[in-house]
Amino acid sequence: MPVAVLGATGTVGARLVQRLRGHPWFALAEVAASDRSAGERLGDRVAPDVHLHPDDAARKLGTLDGPLASHLVLSALPADAARTIEPELAARGHLVVSNASAFRADPGVPLVVPEVNPDHLTLLDAPGDRWPSGGGIVTNPNCAVAGLVTALAPLHARFGVGRVVVTTFQAISGAGRPGPAAADLVDNVVPWIGGEEEKIAAEPRRILGRLMDGAVTPAEVTVSATATRVPVLHGHLESVSVELLTPATPKQARAAWAEFRGPEGTADLPTAPAIPVEVATEVDRPQPRLDRGRGDGMTVVVGRVRPCPVFTLRFLVLSHNLERGAAGAALVNAELAAARGRVRRGLS
Ligand code: NAP
């Protein structure tokens, strides 16, 4: 099935282009970015450390106002551009699978992690004339939420999650290119990331929520988040304290994670990892540099699981922000949509 990638010159878009090479179901057909890049070769517009297949490097970047032939559009646009472009594409009948935050809270737009809430995809079927048949937007969560919610889901299913306090240690690549200035980051921790704490508080409630009568009822989970930027290239580490509604020991939590595979069929999606959550047993893991590549960057790693004197348990979570948190997340959502017959070869 042909695929268009928007924002293909950026950190996430270029990773999508790399991930699509050799993909068993999808073939990259079109690439586009901002007007600044239109008409240029993709290889001349990506960051110097991004290595593309020569055929992809030679692709010419299109404009966003022109027509796209592919029904499936993978978007790695900034939120402000996504806010206007993505609904226009959906109105033209495209299925837009987006990394941007612009529509994650929209009640008619599924916010999906395939291992956690694949059923939310049916929000696309809501009656109404917002988008024509086959058109719509599907989103993946914020990059810090992707790891957190995948770790919380098995606990929520088995014990119920009440309150969560999380502090994130987020990698530089989470801010895209060029990202924060080196002089601000080296020898430093920046204790604020604009808009991030609000997303970390809101998105897990929606993803863990229940689909009823064509709408999502948010989970009664309260998240208190502190987001920081640290001088790590890739991989968001998070320190989590969680209140469980049915008390559980670290051993019981480890068992819930080890047995977690998500609903039937999700592990068969080409980009889904065989093991969604791995539990590190070493006392000093997970670490971004050592553990972010597990499961091709799609496995979330949990470690240092111990009782919490305030809530029930505390632990560390690590996930690769560009893979589980962005490009891999969008691609696996597109695969889920395709597996459910929602992706066509062309617009007609
Ligand atoms: P990025 O490196 O800054 O790339 C942005 C891309 O969007 C580039 O291709 C750029 O094209 C294009 N673009 C910028 N302004 C545009 C405009 N006004 N109209 C059309 N295209 C425009 O950003 P990124 O990190 O890849 O992030 C992309 C999206 O994914 C964002 O919504 C971000 O919040 C989300 N996201 C990122 C991560 C992460 O870890 N980085 C994780 C989860 C979600 P030009 O090269 O032509 O300027």
Side-chain angles (χ1 to χ4, degrees):
M1 282 171 268
V3 179
V5 173
L6 309 186
T9 57
T11 311
V12 177
R15 191 67 198 113
L16 274 167
V17 169
Q18 290 173 320
R19 273 192 169 267
L20 283 166
R21 183 130 287 273
H23 192 278
W25 300 354
F26 302 141
L28 181 62
E30 298 158 287
V31 287
S34 77
D35 290 346
R36 296 179 287 276
S37 304
E40 304 275 337
R41 285 173 78 251
L42 177 59
D44 294 336
R45 294 291 299 173
V46 295
D49 61 351
V50 173
H51 304 293
L52 297 177
H53 187 280
D55 293 347
D56 291 331
R59 287 177 188 279
K60 283 275 188 300
L61 286 149
T63 59
L64 290 169
D65 41 15
L68 293 171
S70 312
H71 174 234
L72 178 61
V73 177
L74 302 182
S75 168
L77 294 174
D80 50 354
R83 200 162 285 117
T84 51
I85 292 163
E86 292 179 356
E88 281 173 21
L89 288 167
R92 281 190 248 150
H94 294 279
L95 182 66
V96 182
V97 179
S98 176
N99 277 284
S101 60
F103 295 99
R104 288 191 199 131
D106 186 313
V109 171
L111 172 59
V112 175
V113 176
E115 290 92 341
V116 179
N117 62 337
D119 55 320
H120 289 200
L121 207 62
T122 58
L123 287 178
L124 291 171
D125 300 329
D129 54 6
R130 188 176 184 190
W131 292 313
S133 164
I137 302 174
V138 177
T139 55
N140 48 271
N142 163 279
C143 46
V145 173
L148 177 67
V149 81
T150 308
L152 289 179
L155 302 182
H156 191 55
R158 201 166 284 193
F159 312 111
V161 169
R163 290 174 292 173
V164 179
V165 175
V166 55
T167 302
T168 69
F169 306 87
Q170 297 185 216
I172 304 166
S173 63
R177 286 273 181 165
D184 293 336
L185 273 178
V186 174
D187 186 31
N188 205 12
V189 172
V190 180
W192 176 79
I193 303 175
E196 201 77 354
E197 292 169 2
E198 293 79 358
K199 291 172 194 161
I200 299 171
E203 293 178 18
R205 290 170 55 82
R206 198 161 178 235
I207 298 164
L208 296 173
R210 278 183 200 281
L211 191 67
M212 283 190 289
D213 302 327
V216 174
T217 303
E220 293 288 327
V221 172
T222 306
V223 181
S224 168
T226 302
T228 79
R229 184 81 66 199
V230 296
V232 165
L233 196 51
H234 308 301
H236 292 349
L237 188 67
E238 308 181 26
S239 171
V240 184
S241 293
V242 63
E243 173 190 52
L244 298 177
L245 303 182
T246 304
T249 62
K251 188 176 173 192
Q252 289 170 314
R254 281 191 212 101
W257 284 312
E259 289 158 23
F260 178 65
R261 290 293 177 273
E264 206 180 327
T266 40
D268 300 330
L269 300 172
T271 300
I275 301 174
V277 182
E278 267 183 36
V279 183
T281 49
E282 302 91 329
V283 72
D284 59 352
R285 304 282 278 276
Q287 296 182 23
R289 196 143 47 85
L290 302 184
D291 297 306
R292 64 192 169 205
R294 293 204 202 187
D296 201 18
M298 292 297 285
T299 292
V300 173
V301 187
V302 172
R304 302 208 56 221
V305 189
R306 57 222 195 276
C308 175
V310 179
F311 288 157
T312 315
L313 294 175
R314 56 197 163 139
F315 49 87
L316 274 291
V317 176
L318 175 77
S319 65
H320 197 307
N321 54 295
L322 293 183
E323 311 295 359
R324 169 58 75 172
L331 193 52
V332 76
N333 275 349
E335 292 164 359
L336 178 71
R340 299 196 171 190
R342 294 177 178 276
V343 178
R344 301 195 301 250
R345 284 177 192 278
L347 267 189
S348 52

